[in-house]
Amino acid sequence: MAEATRKLTMADIHAAAERLKNWGRFGAADEIGTLNYTTPADIVAAARLVQKGKVMSLALAFDHRGPQGAKSSYGSIGRFNPIHLMLRTGTDAYSGVLDHRKIRGADDIIIMPMQCGTQWDGLGHIFYGDHMWNGYDCRTVTSAGAQKCGIEQTRDRMVGRGVLFDIPRMLGEKYLGDGFAVTCDMLDRAERHFGVTVKRGDFLLVRTGQIEAKLEAKNWDGYPGGDAPGLAFETLDWLHKKEVAAIATDTWGVEVRPNETDEAAQPWHWISIPIMGLTVGEIFDMSELARDCAEDKRYEFMFVAPALPVTGAVGSPVNPLAIK
Amino acid sequence: MAEATRKLTMADIHAAAERLKNWGRFGAADEIGTLNYTTPADIVAAARLVQKGKVMSLALAFDHRGPQGAKSSYGSIGRFNPIHLMLRTGTDAYSGVLDHRKIRGADDIIIMPMQCGTQWDGLGHIFYGDHMWNGYDCRTVTSAGAQKCGIEQTRDRMVGRGVLFDIPRMLGEKYLGDGFAVTCDMLDRAERHFGVTVKRGDFLLVRTGQIEAKLEAKNWDGYPGGDAPGLAFETLDWLHKKEVAAIATDTWGVEVRPNETDEAAQPWHWISIPIMGLTVGEIFDMSELARDCAEDKRYEFMFVAPALPVTGAVGSPVNPLAIK
Amino acid sequence: MAEATRKLTMADIHAAAERLKNWGRFGAADEIGTLNYTTPADIVAAARLVQKGKVMSLALAFDHRGPQGAKSSYGSIGRFNPIHLMLRTGTDAYSGVLDHRKIRGADDIIIMPMQCGTQWDGLGHIFYGDHMWNGYDCRTVTSAGAQKCGIEQTRDRMVGRGVLFDIPRMLGEKYLGDGFAVTCDMLDRAERHFGVTVKRGDFLLVRTGQIEAKLEAKNWDGYPGGDAPGLAFETLDWLHKKEVAAIATDTWGVEVRPNETDEAAQPWHWISIPIMGLTVGEIFDMSELARDCAEDKRYEFMFVAPALPVTGAVGSPVNPLAIK
Amino acid sequence: MAEATRKLTMADIHAAAERLKNWGRFGAADEIGTLNYTTPADIVAAARLVQKGKVMSLALAFDHRGPQGAKSSYGSIGRFNPIHLMLRTGTDAYSGVLDHRKIRGADDIIIMPMQCGTQWDGLGHIFYGDHMWNGYDCRTVTSAGAQKCGIEQTRDRMVGRGVLFDIPRMLGEKYLGDGFAVTCDMLDRAERHFGVTVKRGDFLLVRTGQIEAKLEAKNWDGYPGGDAPGLAFETLDWLHKKEVAAIATDTWGVEVRPNETDEAAQPWHWISIPIMGLTVGEIFDMSELARDCAEDKRYEFMFVAPALPVTGAVGSPVNPLAIK
């Protein structure tokens, strides 16, 4: 397998782009891509999966202990952990300096990259040549933000059936190793193993266990941009055929690293976001969900993960919820 | 009514604090207050309300056109509209300057007060004397954030039945005027009018229409801290009796302004958050939801509004979803 | 005069670009342009102007009361007033929450556009077509900052003789009106009037009085990007001939507004920065200096205005000092 | 010596506070402390030291390669390296997306702790008990900034004679080792060695060489808050007697680390800033200046280091200039 993945070339990437291109599929003015797959009926059905009233958050805490800034072979792209600051505090209150306002309160502020933690990649996040999703000119994403495909377009879309594929559990491992590629065969096997068939409009969550490995080590070194388990390039075809609404993993960048080629960085991203219009989730902490699914043997659930509708954003921090 | 509300005194506030105090009710270590009211059974029942698969966002767009910075009689407390900046852009991509990375992408960053737009107030947001919710010392909210009752404690809690009380519609008005106080009588009447009885663990949304009034005027002047329609102080008792999980309105600060007293600013807040442990939502845009409820005559729905789990935050921006 | 200034065309601008181009003049690798004009001998001579030991700051306070955000006919370019926040406070100290550190202290942080207040425009600030100063490709200024002509290149350069031309005082006015163009004739006359001849390597400060007019009105409306007194386009030739090191005014954008053409915005900037390599100062508060010069009749002084060497910055906030 | 320094007790600190207290010395309303020592005559004399027209910057570059975030035994106090972001870029210009404005330009923004790099500590930076400089209540430094002793008070004060004490050069070392304490004896010896007597109103720069050691190692680990060479506690008396205007070093925190006591952190700071009213500079890069002084044997120079007048700030980034 490893040998096969090494052979990926730019020609393969371009062929995939031709083969998997969804431009125009949802109309010339579409800005949300595969999120269109989820229908109202899918949402009603997803809600029916709520049977024990348990809510699980898939978000890592947003704070200075996050993964950004850890050592990595990948050159910095300017991401940093959230900086949380106070505008007024309880110590101000205690000191009496707020009393002229006749109310004692605290306010706060955050400075954070949209991609610093548990996040959705929006469709303005990756370009293919000079184009972005649906063929829009990449110059519509300027210093003033994304004039097309901003994350705000998804404000009422991140609801549907979630499916968890807990790959290490299927393989009898605690977590997958760096460089481990999740292939189409494994996804097929996961359907049988977990007793759930992925269908059109689903939100597919693929667990590798890397996030727990780093949390247990109390050290994020290697996580942001370093080697990692992840999806093989070939899974693009699988996801295209299945017509999933979105996909997320518990890694920094979904796809296997080292990448399957040296000619392109993150080749899976070249296709998934700009060509297929696939919304991608990263740094989803699936540990609690995985334990719960192993316990009740139900790997499907209602999934609600609303992006913050920041106008023109190419991604969003998110607190994704799995509800069973 | 107006006459009565003018009479509120510090003695009334202190009496309410004694009468409505929930400290210890959920255990000495509790940090989420009335969110405890919602049970798993409530969540299952809420999911059953999803019948047409329609998702509605209650979030205002997070951008420089938001309400902060508008003129107001209320002195600035340092809030500003979100500042959205780019770390890499499509114009960088087009210019070829990213190609050494072998991938063309955009990243972004946000700087924003947690209270700048559609938001949850956490239980560290308001103090009563030197104390906060559950009797914690207000000095646990320092410049380093809230060591108690941080919004991250709610990460898996903002799910349940939502109920909309569309007060202007009930009264045959387009929106309520500034200074209009929503009383207990009106809340009782709303239950009958909309055919839904508020029960323990519900998320109650009270619409005043002010947000639409400002949006239609294309001018936020007066919205942040100015005069507004809102809840009367007496509704604290109603909410206490009903044991709601949380309450939200479409105004800057929930309660009626001018306030019912000159001795305290935002007297309703003095009690709701630190004394009752009530999570409060503000600047919820209920316009689409209100239209939908008027159409299908169903004023209850599944409500999912996960806060971003920012460690130590006293509030959170949120994209609240009503799902029917 | 007003009539004449209206006639400026793109052809005029292009002709000026040819006529005034300094590219290559200071070497192919130069990144600081006309700052090269100031010699060590000029600096020694400037120091000799210090005769009474008086230091005057030309900086506006950096705070939320600054000019950004005021009403303007000029569309927003994203500048905002400084946001100053605390990392630790005296109220934290008083509350005892810092004592585990065995020291009580306060720290702070600032968020500010480099162009929000009293500022130097660096040579990466304006482009002429696809080029910047010295012929560098404008694509060297990316989302990652300026790889050429960053303000850090000037770290030891902003020292020399300063000359104040107090134009309203020369004309017997309190301040110049909006749209008033300072011409070459006026600059010549100022040399005679104030008894100082501008020479190679000088830092020329031209006062219009607009900043005092706004401060007196306690209202910045119209200041950022609105109509203003300022330099006529023709002064580019005068400055070129004089070989000044840098020029600064007390306005938002140096040149007269409305501009002398509708075909280009800020036509004087098209030439000064990218073509001549002229460093430009804006929002310099010359009020105290002007009073002092009127009193002692000396319009020359030692000028020290070091930029913050922020790597890759296209400008810098500055506290310019005039020392007499 | 090392043995002696270990003996410092809280009683010593309190005794020093009594002995060295300058409160009231410059008037009850004073907010700048020892900066008052520098007179106009001192400034005139300092300017006379400019004899070769050479300007040297003592600032470290402000960028992501700065010392913050490096490993340290000192717990994080929330400082981080400057974050420099663009509001418009040359790639935007090249892409044509700015042309509707009829001008092509770049703007930028910075997010930085005031104490992240080369910096002045203002008099609101450290408290002694519940008080700050001149006896002001420490509660005047709130989340809204310093209402007393803000750095803006110094806007026209950081000009005078600079004196460099290059301690490692005096001792024939390249740089001082961690834990090396610079004593009063050494300061006396330095006066003789370098042929310059420190006098009232001087700006004293003490070089340890630590900054070059870290730069050469291309690794800041240990610099922010770690062990370091620096001033002994006893030097407070020397500086008090000499009546210097300000002092700066090339280290993170001026004083020797490990500190001379375990009972207080940074005991020298307890006295210098709040008790003496001494402005303190840190992270000054004196390498170029030291080479120049060694060459021309002149250890005095004109010193100009204007703080950015950020209202209410307790410190300021600075580009200090030594002019000879």
Side-chain angles (χ1 to χ4, degrees):
Chain A
M1 177 194 72
E3 202 179 330
T5 61
R6 290 280 151 61
K7 290 180 180 160
L8 194 64
T9 65
M10 285 308 299
D12 294 328
I13 295 174
H14 292 315
E18 286 312 304
R19 190 169 70 244
L20 304 174
K21 188 174 287 186
N22 283 330
W23 296 2
R25 183 170 187 157
F26 310 106
D30 179 70
E31 303 186 41
I32 61 168
T34 57
L35 293 175
N36 284 291
Y37 285 140
T38 311
T39 65
D42 294 333
I43 292 169
V44 172
R48 291 301 166 274
L49 299 172
V50 178
Q51 291 171 10
K52 58 187 184 186
K54 183 171 185 178
V55 178
M56 287 162 281
S57 166
L58 311 184
L60 214 56
F62 288 87
D63 60 34
H64 67 277
R65 288 177 293 266
Q68 306 302 330
K71 281 184 191 159
S72 170
S73 55
Y74 196 71
S76 169
I77 44 176
R79 295 178 189 168
F80 51 88
N81 286 321
I83 299 170
H84 177 239
L85 300 160
M86 301 302 291
L87 291 167
R88 280 173 301 143
T89 61
T91 54
D92 286 337
Y94 180 80
S95 297
V97 302
L98 304 176
D99 289 340
H100 66 284
R101 286 193 169 277
K102 301 181 182 170
I103 184 167
R104 294 179 155 203
D107 262 34
D108 44 2
I109 164 179
I110 197 159
I111 307 171
M112 65 175 166
M114 306 303 271
Q115 294 79 19
C116 67
T118 305
Q119 98 199 239
W120 284 122
D121 284 348
L123 298 187
H125 180 52
I126 302 290
F127 312 109
Y128 190 90
D130 290 344
H131 291 91
M132 55 192 287
W133 162 243
N134 220 12
Y136 294 118
D137 191 313
C138 71
R139 290 175 292 178
T140 56
V141 181
T142 74
S143 294
Q147 276 89 56
K148 288 287 178 189
C149 302
I151 201 74
E152 77 278 9
Q153 303 291 338
T154 72
R155 69 174 61 213
D156 54 6
R157 287 289 179 160
M158 302 297 196
V159 180
R161 183 174 78 146
V163 170
L164 174 69
F165 278 0
D166 185 346
I167 306 297
R169 190 171 305 265
M170 178 176 83
L171 301 178
E173 307 284 349
K174 194 165 174 190
Y175 30 74
L176 307 179
D178 293 342
F180 183 98
V182 175
T183 61
C184 293
D185 274 355
M186 289 181 210
L187 296 177
D188 285 334
R189 182 176 156 196
E191 286 194 322
R192 296 187 302 271
H193 185 87
F194 296 117
V196 55
T197 303
V198 173
K199 63 175 184 49
R200 192 177 196 265
D202 277 349
F203 292 79
L204 178 61
L205 310 185
V206 178
R207 178 175 173 266
T208 72
Q210 194 195 26
I211 216 167
E212 289 104 311
K214 297 297 183 186
L215 286 170
E216 281 171 23
K218 294 185 191 300
N219 189 332
W220 286 109
D221 285 352
Y223 186 81
D227 293 349
L231 296 193
F233 186 79
E234 65 173 29
T235 60
L236 291 164
D237 285 273
W238 195 94
L239 298 165
H240 185 70
K241 184 187 64 185
K242 287 289 191 177
E243 300 184 327
V244 299
I247 185 167
T249 69
D250 54 357
T251 63
W252 172 84
V254 173
E255 63 191 290
V256 64
R257 291 181 66 87
N259 290 148
E260 297 160 77
T261 176
D262 291 330
E263 298 179 48
Q266 299 292 82
W268 185 93
H269 275 74
W270 283 52
I271 304 301
S272 53
I273 294 175
I275 297 296
M276 292 168 58
L278 181 65
T279 291
V280 173
E282 289 162 343
I283 319 184
F284 278 43
D285 180 356
M286 306 174 188
S287 49
E288 183 188 2
L289 175 62
R291 283 192 300 274
D292 185 84
C293 291
E295 209 172 280
D296 73 3
K297 312 292 189 224
R298 293 177 55 236
Y299 283 82
E300 58 175 354
F301 40 85
M302 187 180 191
F303 177 77
V304 186
L308 275 190
V310 176
T311 306
V314 300
S316 176
V318 62
N319 180 4
L321 301 181
I323 313 176
K324 293 175 79 168
Chain B
M1 178 195 69
E3 203 177 330
T5 61
R6 291 279 151 63
K7 289 180 182 161
L8 193 65
T9 65
M10 285 308 298
D12 295 327
I13 295 173
H14 293 314
E18 286 312 303
R19 191 170 70 242
L20 305 174
K21 188 175 289 187
N22 282 331
W23 297 1
R25 183 170 188 158
F26 310 106
D30 178 70
E31 303 186 39
I32 61 168
T34 56
L35 294 175
N36 285 291
Y37 285 139
T38 311
T39 65
D42 293 333
I43 292 168
V44 172
R48 291 301 165 276
L49 299 173
V50 179
Q51 292 172 9
K52 57 187 184 186
K54 182 170 185 179
V55 179
M56 286 162 280
S57 165
L58 311 185
L60 213 56
F62 288 88
D63 60 34
H64 67 275
R65 289 176 292 267
Q68 306 302 329
K71 281 184 190 158
S72 171
S73 54
Y74 196 70
S76 169
I77 45 176
R79 295 179 189 167
F80 51 87
N81 286 320
I83 299 171
H84 177 240
L85 300 160
M86 302 302 292
L87 291 167
R88 281 173 300 144
T89 61
T91 54
D92 286 338
Y94 180 80
S95 298
V97 302
L98 303 176
D99 289 339
H100 66 286
R101 288 194 167 276
K102 301 182 182 170
I103 184 167
R104 294 181 155 202
D107 262 33
D108 45 0
I109 165 180
I110 197 158
I111 306 170
M112 64 174 164
M114 306 302 272
Q115 295 78 18
C116 68
T118 306
Q119 99 200 238
W120 285 121
D121 283 349
L123 298 188
H125 180 53
I126 302 291
F127 312 108
Y128 189 90
D130 290 343
H131 292 90
M132 54 191 288
W133 163 242
N134 219 14
Y136 294 119
D137 192 314
C138 71
R139 289 174 293 178
T140 56
V141 181
T142 73
S143 294
Q147 276 89 55
K148 288 288 177 188
C149 303
I151 202 74
E152 77 278 8
Q153 304 291 338
T154 73
R155 68 174 63 212
D156 54 6
R157 287 290 178 160
M158 302 298 196
V159 179
R161 182 173 79 148
V163 169
L164 175 70
F165 279 180
D166 185 346
I167 305 298
R169 189 171 307 264
M170 177 176 83
L171 301 178
E173 306 285 349
K174 194 164 176 189
Y175 29 74
L176 306 180
D178 293 343
F180 184 97
V182 175
T183 61
C184 295
D185 274 355
M186 290 181 209
L187 296 178
D188 286 333
R189 182 176 157 196
E191 286 194 322
R192 297 187 301 269
H193 185 88
F194 297 117
V196 56
T197 302
V198 173
K199 64 176 180 51
R200 194 176 195 265
D202 279 347
F203 292 80
L204 178 60
L205 310 185
V206 178
R207 178 175 174 264
T208 72
Q210 195 196 25
I211 215 168
E212 290 103 311
K214 296 298 183 186
L215 286 169
E216 280 171 24
K218 296 183 190 299
N219 190 331
W220 287 108
D221 284 352
Y223 185 81
D227 292 348
L231 296 193
F233 186 79
E234 66 172 30
T235 60
L236 291 164
D237 285 275
W238 196 93
L239 297 165
H240 185 70
K241 185 188 62 184
K242 286 289 190 176
E243 300 184 327
V244 299
I247 185 167
T249 69
D250 53 358
T251 62
W252 171 84
V254 174
E255 63 191 290
V256 64
R257 292 182 65 87
N259 290 148
E260 297 160 78
T261 176
D262 291 329
E263 298 179 48
Q266 299 290 84
W268 186 94
H269 275 74
W270 284 52
I271 303 301
S272 55
I273 294 176
I275 297 297
M276 293 169 59
L278 181 64
T279 291
V280 172
E282 290 163 343
I283 319 185
F284 279 44
D285 180 355
M286 306 175 187
S287 50
E288 183 188 1
L289 175 62
R291 282 192 301 272
D292 185 85
C293 292
E295 209 172 280
D296 73 3
K297 311 293 189 224
R298 293 176 55 238
Y299 284 81
E300 57 175 354
F301 40 85
M302 188 180 191
F303 177 78
V304 186
L308 275 189
V310 176
T311 307
V314 300
S316 176
V318 62
N319 179 4
L321 301 182
I323 313 176
K324 292 177 82 169
Chain C
M1 179 193 71
E3 204 178 328
T5 61
R6 292 280 150 62
K7 288 179 180 161
L8 193 65
T9 65
M10 285 307 298
D12 295 327
I13 295 173
H14 293 316
E18 286 313 303
R19 190 170 69 244
L20 304 174
K21 188 175 288 188
N22 282 331
W23 296 1
R25 183 171 188 154
F26 310 105
D30 178 70
E31 304 187 39
I32 61 167
T34 56
L35 294 175
N36 285 291
Y37 285 139
T38 311
T39 66
D42 294 334
I43 292 168
V44 173
R48 292 300 167 274
L49 299 173
V50 178
Q51 293 172 9
K52 57 186 183 185
K54 182 170 185 180
V55 179
M56 287 162 280
S57 165
L58 311 185
L60 213 56
F62 288 87
D63 60 33
H64 68 276
R65 288 177 291 267
Q68 305 302 329
K71 281 184 189 160
S72 170
S73 55
Y74 197 70
S76 169
I77 45 177
R79 295 179 189 166
F80 51 88
N81 286 321
I83 299 170
H84 177 239
L85 300 161
M86 301 303 291
L87 291 167
R88 281 173 301 144
T89 61
T91 53
D92 286 338
Y94 179 81
S95 298
V97 301
L98 304 176
D99 290 339
H100 66 286
R101 287 194 168 275
K102 300 180 183 172
I103 184 166
R104 295 180 156 203
D107 261 33
D108 45 0
I109 164 179
I110 197 158
I111 306 170
M112 66 174 163
M114 306 301 271
Q115 294 80 17
C116 67
T118 305
Q119 99 200 239
W120 285 121
D121 284 348
L123 298 188
H125 180 53
I126 302 290
F127 312 108
Y128 189 90
D130 290 343
H131 293 89
M132 56 193 285
W133 162 243
N134 219 13
Y136 295 119
D137 191 313
C138 71
R139 289 174 294 178
T140 57
V141 182
T142 73
S143 294
Q147 275 89 55
K148 288 287 175 189
C149 303
I151 201 75
E152 76 280 8
Q153 304 291 338
T154 74
R155 68 174 63 213
D156 54 7
R157 289 287 179 162
M158 302 299 195
V159 180
R161 182 174 78 147
V163 170
L164 175 69
F165 279 180
D166 185 346
I167 305 297
R169 190 170 307 264
M170 177 177 83
L171 301 179
E173 306 284 349
K174 194 165 176 189
Y175 29 75
L176 306 180
D178 293 342
F180 183 98
V182 176
T183 61
C184 294
D185 274 355
M186 290 182 210
L187 296 178
D188 286 334
R189 182 177 157 195
E191 286 193 324
R192 297 188 301 272
H193 186 87
F194 296 116
V196 55
T197 302
V198 172
K199 65 175 180 52
R200 192 176 196 265
D202 278 348
F203 292 79
L204 178 60
L205 310 185
V206 178
R207 177 175 174 265
T208 72
Q210 194 195 26
I211 215 167
E212 291 102 313
K214 297 298 183 185
L215 286 169
E216 281 172 24
K218 295 183 189 302
N219 189 331
W220 286 107
D221 285 351
Y223 186 81
D227 292 349
L231 297 191
F233 186 79
E234 66 173 28
T235 60
L236 291 164
D237 284 273
W238 195 93
L239 298 165
H240 185 70
K241 186 187 62 183
K242 286 288 190 177
E243 299 185 326
V244 299
I247 185 168
T249 68
D250 54 356
T251 62
W252 172 83
V254 174
E255 62 192 290
V256 63
R257 293 182 63 89
N259 291 148
E260 297 160 77
T261 175
D262 290 331
E263 297 179 48
Q266 299 291 83
W268 186 94
H269 276 74
W270 284 52
I271 304 301
S272 54
I273 294 175
I275 297 296
M276 294 169 59
L278 182 64
T279 291
V280 173
E282 289 162 344
I283 318 185
F284 278 43
D285 180 356
M286 307 176 186
S287 50
E288 183 187 2
L289 175 62
R291 281 192 302 272
D292 185 84
C293 292
E295 210 172 277
D296 73 3
K297 312 294 190 220
R298 294 177 55 236
Y299 283 81
E300 57 176 353
F301 40 86
M302 187 181 191
F303 177 77
V304 186
L308 275 189
V310 176
T311 308
V314 301
S316 176
V318 63
N319 179 4
L321 301 182
I323 313 176
K324 292 178 81 171
Chain D
M1 178 195 71
E3 201 178 329
T5 60
R6 290 281 151 61
K7 289 178 182 161
L8 193 65
T9 64
M10 286 306 300
D12 295 328
I13 295 174
H14 293 315
E18 285 313 303
R19 192 169 69 244
L20 304 173
K21 188 174 289 186
N22 283 330
W23 297 1
R25 184 171 186 156
F26 310 106
D30 178 69
E31 304 187 39
I32 61 168
T34 57
L35 293 175
N36 285 291
Y37 285 139
T38 311
T39 65
D42 294 333
I43 292 169
V44 172
R48 291 301 167 271
L49 299 172
V50 178
Q51 292 172 10
K52 56 185 184 187
K54 183 170 184 179
V55 179
M56 286 162 282
S57 165
L58 311 185
L60 213 58
F62 288 88
D63 60 33
H64 67 278
R65 288 176 292 268
Q68 306 303 329
K71 281 183 190 161
S72 170
S73 55
Y74 195 71
S76 168
I77 45 176
R79 296 178 189 167
F80 51 87
N81 286 321
I83 299 170
H84 177 239
L85 300 161
M86 302 301 292
L87 291 167
R88 282 172 300 141
T89 61
T91 53
D92 286 338
Y94 180 80
S95 299
V97 302
L98 303 176
D99 290 339
H100 67 285
R101 286 193 168 276
K102 300 182 183 171
I103 184 167
R104 292 179 158 205
D107 262 32
D108 44 1
I109 164 179
I110 198 158
I111 306 171
M112 65 175 164
M114 306 303 270
Q115 294 79 18
C116 67
T118 305
Q119 99 200 238
W120 285 122
D121 283 349
L123 298 187
H125 180 53
I126 302 290
F127 311 108
Y128 190 90
D130 290 342
H131 292 90
M132 56 193 286
W133 162 243
N134 221 10
Y136 295 118
D137 192 311
C138 71
R139 290 174 292 178
T140 57
V141 181
T142 72
S143 295
Q147 275 89 56
K148 288 288 176 188
C149 302
I151 201 74
E152 76 280 7
Q153 303 291 338
T154 74
R155 67 174 63 214
D156 54 7
R157 288 289 178 160
M158 302 298 197
V159 179
R161 183 174 77 145
V163 170
L164 175 69
F165 279 180
D166 185 347
I167 306 298
R169 190 169 306 263
M170 179 176 82
L171 301 178
E173 307 283 349
K174 195 164 174 189
Y175 29 74
L176 306 180
D178 293 342
F180 183 96
V182 175
T183 61
C184 295
D185 274 355
M186 290 182 209
L187 296 177
D188 286 333
R189 181 175 158 196
E191 286 194 324
R192 298 189 299 271
H193 185 87
F194 297 117
V196 56
T197 303
V198 173
K199 63 175 182 51
R200 192 176 195 265
D202 278 348
F203 292 79
L204 178 61
L205 310 184
V206 179
R207 177 175 174 266
T208 72
Q210 195 195 24
I211 215 168
E212 291 103 312
K214 296 298 183 186
L215 286 169
E216 281 172 24
K218 294 183 190 302
N219 190 333
W220 287 107
D221 285 351
Y223 185 82
D227 291 350
L231 297 191
F233 186 78
E234 65 173 30
T235 60
L236 291 164
D237 285 273
W238 196 93
L239 298 166
H240 185 70
K241 185 187 62 185
K242 287 289 189 177
E243 301 184 326
V244 300
I247 186 167
T249 69
D250 54 357
T251 62
W252 171 83
V254 173
E255 62 191 293
V256 63
R257 293 181 65 85
N259 290 148
E260 297 160 76
T261 176
D262 291 330
E263 297 179 48
Q266 299 291 83
W268 186 94
H269 275 74
W270 283 52
I271 304 301
S272 54
I273 295 175
I275 296 297
M276 294 169 58
L278 181 64
T279 290
V280 173
E282 290 162 342
I283 319 184
F284 278 43
D285 180 356
M286 306 175 187
S287 50
E288 182 187 3
L289 175 62
R291 283 192 301 272
D292 186 83
C293 292
E295 211 172 277
D296 73 3
K297 313 293 190 220
R298 295 176 54 237
Y299 283 81
E300 57 175 354
F301 39 85
M302 188 182 190
F303 177 77
V304 186
L308 275 190
V310 176
T311 307
V314 301
S316 176
V318 63
N319 179 4
L321 301 182
I323 314 177
K324 293 177 80 170

